[in-house]
């Protein structure tokens, strides 16, 4: 049964009522204050206080202060007037019950309105926050699109400049080749003139010499013929006529002409070329692996795999129709991505590696370089996937791909450590140390990871 409090004091002005309610041991935690326009109730077990107010008050602005075993109320009047008493007199139990129920209904309505107002305000705040977020995302998207467009324009300008440079270089080479051809033609013409002049002088000299020899031979032969004719005529009693001498001279002239033309033909024919053989030797492919640790089969398999990877081109991509011939080359795209990575434009570098991988998905360095970009952008799961794919393509393990395998293990181990998966990260770092045990930086990082693992185990 609660104790009704009747020992209280109050004062008033035209605008406010000051009520002091002494309650022994009162505290904020255990006190329930209920106030409406015409009703005031305080429940602080085992005490109970009720007041059916003389006139309406502004319950929203009224205040209550609890402390020092007392509750002090400041009740603001709705109408400025002096009250005759704090509570109305002559109120029976039914009227009290009606006032209580009316006050409770008013409080419930007010609480419902406040809840609805709060919910509406919350919805407005959420709507505003959503609009602000959408605006920020739109600005970010526009910024990224502008960056992509600027990068595309820059790449296009670089490509056009490179093409212009290549065109000028081709023109320069063409001009140089034409100049060399002109010089060679001039040299050939000069050599032909020299050979012709030499052949003419040699032929004239040989012709003169042959003519002299022929004259001497003909003179001797004519003398011999004449002597024979004289002897014959003398023996037969007849003489040689001038006609026979002229016939002999004609015969000798024809024979001399035939000999001279044959001599010219022999001098104009060049000597045949000498016959010879050219030997060609091919240097065998030599790997820098000691004979006792030979991995000839694995190295040959790696070379065969690399050759197949270079031939594995995918040209059935719809987007390729708009690309230029240089942009369809995975190696050109890889170099472009490396340049973008060096300028810290990691998103554009990833786009270049993505297109190169779509063209040829068998090149391990594309996945390895894209993993480095994802690591810079904190896309840790994608970095792990690309490093694992690179390690899969870098099989079988040989000396030729040792450096790439070590980088793949380090990048995957770094991503694991940033995800706080230190045991998996340490495994990758130890695998990198097996490839290059003398690498001091990898040794230091592996030791740091071991210390972290030991520290977490001790704390747990």
């Amino acid at each position: 049964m609660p104790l009704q409090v009747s020992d209280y004091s109050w004062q008033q002005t035209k605008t406010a009522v000051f009520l002091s309610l002494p309650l022994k041991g009162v505290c904020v935690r255990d006190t329930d204050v209920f106030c409406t326009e015409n009703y005031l109730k305080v429940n602080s077990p085992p005490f109970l206080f009720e007041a059916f107010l003389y006139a309406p008050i502004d319950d929203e602005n009224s205040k209550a202060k609890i402390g020092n075993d007392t509750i002090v109320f400041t009740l603001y009047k709705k109408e400025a007037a002096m009250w005759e008493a704090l509570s109305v007199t002559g109120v029976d139990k039914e009227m009290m019950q009606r006032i209580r129920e009316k006050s409770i209904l008013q409080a419930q309505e007010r609480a419902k309105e406040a809840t609805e107002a709060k919910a509406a305000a919350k919805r407005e705040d959420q709507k505003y926050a959503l609009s602000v977020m959408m605006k920020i995302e739109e600005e970010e998207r526009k910024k990224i699109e502008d960056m992509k467009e600027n990068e595309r324009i820059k790449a296009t300008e670089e490509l056009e400049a490179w093409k212009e440079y290549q065109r000028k270089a081709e023109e320069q080479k063409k001009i140089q080749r034409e100049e060399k051809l002109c010089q060679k033609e001039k040299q050939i013409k000069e050599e032909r003139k020299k050979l012709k002049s030499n052949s003419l002088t040699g032929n004239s000299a040989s012709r003169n010499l042959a003519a002299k020899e022929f004259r001497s031979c003909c003179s001797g032969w004519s003398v011999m013929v004449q002597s024979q004719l004289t002897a014959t005529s003398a023996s037969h009693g007849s003489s040689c006529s001038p006609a026979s001498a002229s016939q002999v001279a004609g015969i000798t002239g024809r024979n001399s002409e035939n000999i001279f033309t044959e001599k010219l033909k022999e001098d104009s024919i060049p000597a045949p070329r000498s016959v010879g053989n050219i030997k060609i030797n091919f240097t065998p492919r030599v790997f820098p692996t000691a004979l006792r640790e030979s991995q000839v089969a694995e190295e040959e398999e790696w070379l065969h795999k690399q050759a197949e990877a270079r031939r594995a081109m995918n040209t059935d991509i719809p987007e390729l129709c708009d690309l230029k011939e240089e942009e369809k080359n995975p190696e050109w795209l890889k170099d472009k991505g490396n340049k973008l990575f060096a300028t810290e434009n990691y998103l554009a570098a990833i786009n270049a590696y993505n297109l190169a991988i779509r063209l040829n998905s068998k090149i391990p360095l594309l996945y390895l370089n894209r993993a480095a970009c994802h690591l810079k952008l904190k896309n840790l799961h994608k970095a792990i996937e690309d490093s694992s794919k690179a390690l899969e393509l870098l099989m079988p393990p040989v000396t030729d791909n040792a450096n790439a395998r070590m980088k793949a293990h380090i990048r995957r181990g770094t991503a694991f450590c940033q995800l706080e998966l230190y045991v998996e990260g340490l495994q990758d770092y130890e695998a990198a140390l097996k490839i290059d045990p003398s690498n001091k930086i990898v040794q230091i990082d592996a030791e740091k990871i071991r210390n972290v693992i030991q520290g977490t185990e001790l704390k747990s």
Side-chain angles (χ1 to χ4, degrees), residues 149 206 235 413 443:
E149 183 65 20
S206 62
S235 62
Q443 290 177 2

Side-chain angles (χ1 to χ4, degrees), residues 122-165:
K122 186 177 181 181
R123 286 194 298 271
E124 289 295 326
D125 292 341
Q126 290 177 350
K127 186 177 179 181
Y128 176 74
L130 183 61
S131 64
V132 171
M133 189 179 297
M134 290 175 64
K135 185 177 180 181
I136 293 172
E137 289 179 355
E138 181 67 21
E139 291 177 354
E140 289 291 331
R141 186 182 63 80
K142 187 177 179 182
K143 184 178 179 182
I144 292 171
E145 288 180 354
D146 292 341
M147 290 173 61
K148 288 182 179 179
E149 183 65 20
N150 293 333
E151 193 60 36
R152 188 189 65 79
I153 293 171
K154 184 178 178 182
T156 305
E157 290 176 354
E158 290 179 358
L159 182 60
E160 292 296 330
W162 179 78
K163 284 185 177 180
E164 184 68 19
Y165 174 77

Side-chain angles (χ1 to χ4, degrees), residues 259-277:
I259 294 170
F260 181 69
T261 55
E262 290 177 358
K263 186 70 176 175
L264 281 176
K265 289 180 181 178
E266 290 178 359
D267 291 339
S268 63
I269 298 172
R273 293 182 181 178
S274 60
V275 181
N277 296 325

Side-chain angles (χ1 to χ4, degrees), residues 155-171 322-327 332:
T156 305
E157 290 176 354
E158 290 179 358
L159 182 60
E160 292 296 330
W162 179 78
K163 284 185 177 180
E164 184 68 19
Y165 174 77
Q166 291 293 110
R167 187 182 62 78
K168 289 182 179 179
E170 289 294 330
E171 290 179 356
D322 297 331
L323 297 180
K324 297 180 181 179
E325 200 62 34
E326 293 83 2
E327 296 173 348
W332 184 88

Side-chain angles (χ1 to χ4, degrees), residues 176-329:
Q176 291 177 358
R177 284 197 299 268
E178 290 177 354
E179 290 178 354
K180 287 181 180 179
L181 287 173
C182 292
Q183 290 178 359
K184 285 183 179 179
E185 288 179 357
K186 288 180 181 179
Q187 290 177 359
I188 291 169
K189 287 181 180 179
E190 290 176 357
E191 289 178 358
R192 286 180 179 176
K193 287 180 181 179
K194 288 181 182 179
L195 289 173
K196 190 174 182 180
S197 62
N198 291 335
S199 63
L200 289 174
T201 54
N203 289 335
S204 61
S206 62
R207 192 184 300 115
N208 293 332
L209 181 61
K212 288 179 182 179
E213 291 178 354
F214 180 70
R215 289 194 194 98
S216 61
C217 290
C218 287
S219 61
W221 185 61
S222 62
V223 171
M224 182 180 66
V225 170
Q226 288 178 1
S227 61
Q228 288 180 356
L229 289 173
T230 304
T232 305
S233 62
S235 62
H236 291 281
S238 61
S239 61
C240 181
S241 63
S244 62
S246 64
Q247 290 174 358
V248 171
I251 293 167
T252 56
R254 285 193 297 271
N255 291 333
S256 65
E257 185 179 358
N258 294 333
I259 294 170
F260 181 69
T261 55
E262 290 177 358
K263 186 70 176 175
L264 281 176
K265 289 180 181 178
E266 290 178 359
D267 291 339
S268 63
I269 298 172
R273 293 182 181 178
S274 60
V275 181
N277 296 325
I278 299 173
K279 293 183 179 181
I280 300 173
N281 296 324
F282 295 97
T283 305
R285 176 73 166 91
V286 179
F287 289 91
T289 309
L291 187 60
R292 64 180 178 274
E293 301 173 357
S294 178
Q295 296 178 330
V296 176
E298 290 83 356
E299 290 165 348
E300 292 296 332
E301 182 183 351
W302 169 248
L303 287 179
H304 181 68
K305 193 173 180 180
Q306 290 295 100
E308 287 183 350
R310 284 191 291 270
R311 292 193 296 269
M313 283 289 294
N314 182 18
T315 57
D316 299 334
I317 302 174
E319 293 85 348
L320 288 180
C321 58
D322 297 331
L323 297 180
K324 297 180 181 179
E325 200 62 34
E326 293 83 2
E327 296 173 348
K328 299 178 183 179
N329 186 358

